C-alpha cells in the first residue's frame, strides 16, 4: 500500500533559526502514518538532514541541475543533494518554469538525474489562470505530464504534484470537481504511459493554498494522495494540522 505524502516547500525562506521548526515537526510526529518531506532552501539541507536523521521527517531539495557535475556555476546536482542527505527533489515548480524559463524537457532531464542519484523526483505541473479560463487545463496538464516524465518512472522514484499556478500563494483553490477532474485525468494518463499498476503506485499531490481549514476537504477528493504545501509549511503550528488531516 502506498503511503500518503505531505511535502513542505519552503521556497526562498528560512535561516538557520528556522531549523527549529523542522525539529518541532519531528517531535510532533514521532511515528506518522503518512510520509512527511520538508524541502528547505539548499543552505539548510545538510544541517536539517543531520538533525532529522533519526526522525520520521525526510529532507528534500527544491531544484537540481540536470547534469551530474560540470561547469555550471551556482548550480547543484542531484548527486550532491543525495550526498548531503536529501531524499527527494522538487522539479518543475511553476516558479522555476516561469522565472527561470524551465521547459518540460528540462524538467524531465532533472527528474532523470534525480532518479540516477537515488532521489525521488517531485514533478510539478499546473495550468495558469488564463489557460483555465480558455478551457485548456487538461490539454496543458497532458502536455506537461507527457514531456516532464522521464523513462523509468515508477511509484518509488516519482511523485506528481498538480499545482494550478493561480492557486499558489493566492488563497484561491479549485473546487473539488476541478481537482478531481485533473487528478483522475493524471491517473489515467499515467496508466497509458506506464501501465495501470504503475500509475496506481504514483502519489498524486495537490498543491496551491492548502491550509488547515481546507486540507481535510482536499484530501477527501478522489486520487489525491497528499499535498505540496508552501506558506503553511513554514511553521510547525500551521503544518501539523495539515499533516493530521492527511492521517485521519
Ligand atoms: C507551492 O509553493 O508549491 C505552494 C503550493 O505554495 P502555497 O501553499 O503557499 O500556495
Amino acid at each position: 500500500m502506498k503511503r500518503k505524502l505531505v511535502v513542505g516547500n519552503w521556497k526562498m525562506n528560512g535561516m538557520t533559526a528556522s531549523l527549529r521548526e523542522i525539529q518541532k515537526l519531528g517531535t510532533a510526529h514521532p511515528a506518522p502514518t503518512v510520509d512527511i518531506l520538508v524541502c528547505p532552501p539548499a543552505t539548510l539541507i545538510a544541517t536539517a538532514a543531520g538533525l532529522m536523521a533519526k526522525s520520521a521527517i525526510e529532507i528534500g531539495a527544491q531544484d537540481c541541475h540536470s547534469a551530474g557535475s560540470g561547469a555550471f556555476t551556482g548550480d547543484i546536482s542531484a548527486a550532491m543533494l543525495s550526498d548531503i542527505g536529501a531524499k527527494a527533489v522538487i522539479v518543475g515548480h511553476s516558479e522555476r518554469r516561469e522565472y527561470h524559463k524551465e521547459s518540460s524537457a528540462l524538467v524531465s532531464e532533472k527528474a532523470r538525474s534525480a532518479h540516477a542519484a537515488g532521489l525521488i523526483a517531485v514533478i510539478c505541473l499546473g495550468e495558469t489562470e488564463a489557460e483555465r479560463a480558455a478551457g485548456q487545463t487538461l490539454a496543458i496538464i497532458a502536455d506537461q505530464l507527457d514531456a516532464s516524465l522521464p523513462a523509468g518512472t515508477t511509484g518509488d522514484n516519482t511523485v506528481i504534484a498538480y499545482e494550478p499556478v493561480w492557486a499558489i500563494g493566492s488563497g484561491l483553490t479549485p473546487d473539488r470537481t476541478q481537482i478531481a477532474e485533473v487528478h483522475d485525468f493524471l491517473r489515467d494518463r499515467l496508466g497509458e504511459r506506464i501501465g495501470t499498476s504503475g500509475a496506481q503506485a504514483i502519489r498524486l499531490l495537490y498543491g496551491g493554498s492548502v491550509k488547515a481549514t481546507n486540507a481535510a476537504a482536499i484530501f477527501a477528493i478522489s486520487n489525491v494522495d497528499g499535498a505540496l504545501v508552501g506558506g503553511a509549511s513554514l511553521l510547525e503550528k500551521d503544518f501539523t494540522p495539515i499533516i493530521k488531516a492527511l492521517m485521519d
Side-chain angles (χ1 to χ4, degrees):
M1 257 279 280
K2 71 184 170 215
R3 298 231 313 172
K4 293 186 173 172
L5 169 67
V6 62
V7 180
N9 172 18
W10 281 18
K11 313 193 189 199
M12 198 171 70
N13 297 295
M15 299 294 180
T16 48
S18 318
L19 291 165
R20 182 83 198 100
E21 295 301 319
I22 304 181
Q23 290 179 293
K24 282 199 264 178
L25 267 186
T27 306
H29 308 284
T33 55
V34 301
D35 290 341
I36 304 170
L37 173 71
V38 179
C39 301
T43 48
L44 299 181
I45 292 172
T47 314
L51 284 171
M52 304 314 289
K54 291 195 164 51
S55 81
I57 312 297
E58 304 274 32
I59 302 301
Q62 300 172 17
D63 182 45
C64 66
H65 196 274
S66 58
S69 63
F72 301 105
T73 301
D75 282 314
I76 301 174
S77 74
M80 290 169 176
L81 295 170
S82 172
D83 184 49
I84 58 170
K87 296 287 187 266
V89 58
I90 298 169
V91 292
H93 191 284
S94 64
E95 287 151 14
R96 295 210 60 90
R97 289 181 187 262
E98 182 180 354
Y99 305 137
H100 298 263
K101 306 288 171 242
E102 293 192 358
S103 66
S104 291
L106 178 62
V107 173
S108 171
E109 282 298 297
K110 290 185 174 201
R112 182 199 48 73
S113 190
H115 294 168
L119 298 181
I120 294 173
V122 181
I123 300 175
C124 302
L125 36 81
E127 83 286 1
T128 63
E129 192 172 18
E131 288 161 348
R132 178 163 282 278
Q136 296 170 343
T137 298
L138 294 184
I140 293 292
I141 296 297
D143 284 352
Q144 290 183 350
L145 182 71
D146 293 353
S148 303
L149 216 59
T153 291
T154 70
D156 288 334
N157 66 21
T158 302
V159 170
I160 306 287
Y162 167 53
E163 298 207 303
V165 179
W166 51 274
I168 295 176
S170 65
L172 303 171
T173 50
D175 66 33
R176 56 178 300 121
T177 316
Q178 292 169 321
I179 296 176
E181 180 186 41
V182 173
H183 280 241
D184 292 350
F185 178 79
L186 281 169
R187 188 77 74 201
D188 289 347
R189 193 133 186 132
L190 281 168
E192 287 164 20
R193 177 84 178 256
I194 62 169
T196 310
S197 63
Q200 281 301 335
I202 292 188
R203 273 115 26 121
L204 301 181
L205 310 185
Y206 167 77
S209 296
V210 176
K211 42 189 187 281
T213 48
N214 62 17
I218 290 169
F219 296 146
I221 299 170
S222 81
N223 281 315
V224 174
D225 303 312
L228 177 50
V229 183
S233 71
L234 292 171
L235 298 177
E236 180 274 330
K237 73 173 176 53
D238 296 330
F239 203 21
T240 277
I242 297 171
I243 295 167
K244 285 195 170 146
L246 190 59
M247 290 198 278
D248 283 348

